[in-house]
Amino acid sequence: MSISLKEMNRIELINLERLAHILKGLSATELETLELLLDEEACEDIKKSLMELEERKGIPIDEW
């Protein structure tokens, strides 16, 4: 066992084990969503795109 795990208190270790169990149960789609939520740049891009969509600033598909 690594030193960092030995230094953790029991509560921290239990919380990490619970998190690991939850992550193992996620579907591929849920994992991808989690990755996007953790990626600050991707979140900013999504927010910007949604604002542009609401303001109708998008490029029509026939102009792509």
Side-chain angles (χ1 to χ4, degrees):
M1 186 179 293
S2 72
I3 294 171
S4 60
L5 284 179
K6 289 179 185 177
E7 292 174 355
M8 289 181 152
N9 69 37
R10 180 146 173 77
I11 298 298
E12 290 173 322
L13 189 55
I14 289 171
N15 286 337
L16 283 178
E17 289 172 347
R18 290 177 65 198
L19 178 59
H21 179 73
I22 291 168
L23 292 174
K24 285 180 186 176
L26 295 178
S27 69
T29 303
E30 292 167 327
L31 280 173
E32 186 172 344
T33 301
L34 180 58
E35 287 177 10
L36 285 171
L37 291 172
L38 293 173
D39 183 335
E40 291 180 26
E41 187 177 334
C43 283
E44 289 301 317
D45 288 345
I46 291 169
K47 286 177 191 175
K48 181 181 174 188
S49 295
L50 290 172
M51 285 176 32
E52 289 174 356
L53 180 65
E54 287 178 10
E55 297 169 357
R56 301 202 177 269
K57 290 184 177 177
I59 300 171
I61 197 158
D62 57 342
E63 293 179 19
W64 275 17

